[in-house]
Amino acid sequence: MTRSRRVTESRIEEYWDWIAVALFLLLAVDLLTTLAAARVVGRGAEGNPLMRWLLGRPTLVVVGAHLVVVVLVTGFFRLLVGRLRRTPSPADRYFALLIEVWLGVLVAVGLAVFANNLAVIVLGRSLL
């Protein structure tokens, strides 16, 4: 295995860690803080129409929908990683950089959503 390919493989392992962090923030943390925020201000204050609809459903439906998203995102990310592995040099470095930016944006959005939900819980109003 060449040096550049080893770097790509170690990067790919890191990418899986980062997608896990993003999914944790965007699904698990968001779900828990959204449920808490809905108790404070009511579910009608939820800005995401899909989540607002889900909040009116039984808990098993909400959790099931989130699990479906985890499976879909994980499957698509697996395909993306497969495409990265098949991308020839030097284009693979640019593709990897694009993936890193995308993962960074996902984590940043997850942190922003968490901060907003926390503001609703603590302050009773959104940051937006």
Side-chain angles (χ1 to χ4, degrees):
M1 196 180 277
T2 67
R3 174 149 167 64
S4 66
R5 188 51 62 189
R6 270 186 266 135
V7 170
T8 302
E9 288 302 317
S10 69
R11 274 185 171 178
I12 288 171
E13 288 179 33
E14 259 187 75
Y15 296 164
W16 280 107
D17 294 341
W18 283 108
I19 195 70
V21 168
L23 286 173
F24 178 72
L25 287 170
L26 290 167
L27 294 172
V29 171
D30 179 47
L31 175 61
L32 294 174
T33 57
T34 296
L35 291 173
R39 286 192 189 134
V40 172
V41 296
R43 71 176 186 229
E46 171 61 40
N48 178 346
L50 180 58
M51 191 63 188
R52 188 173 38 237
W53 178 82
L54 278 172
L55 288 173
R57 304 295 167 261
T59 305
L60 285 177
V61 172
V62 177
V63 172
H66 280 71
L67 289 175
V68 166
V69 170
V70 168
V71 169
L72 288 173
V73 170
T74 303
F76 283 123
F77 193 72
R78 184 172 179 254
L79 292 173
L80 183 71
V81 165
R83 169 52 65 196
L84 175 61
R85 283 188 172 116
R86 291 187 306 276
T87 302
S89 253
D92 62 340
R93 284 181 268 153
Y94 299 111
F95 190 19
L97 180 63
L98 186 64
I99 291 170
E100 290 169 15
V101 169
W102 177 68
L103 289 170
V105 168
L106 284 180
V107 170
V109 167
L111 290 171
V113 168
F114 171 63
N116 189 61
N117 285 347
L118 201 55
V120 170
I121 294 165
V122 174
L123 305 173
R125 61 186 174 90
S126 172
L127 295 174
L128 305 175

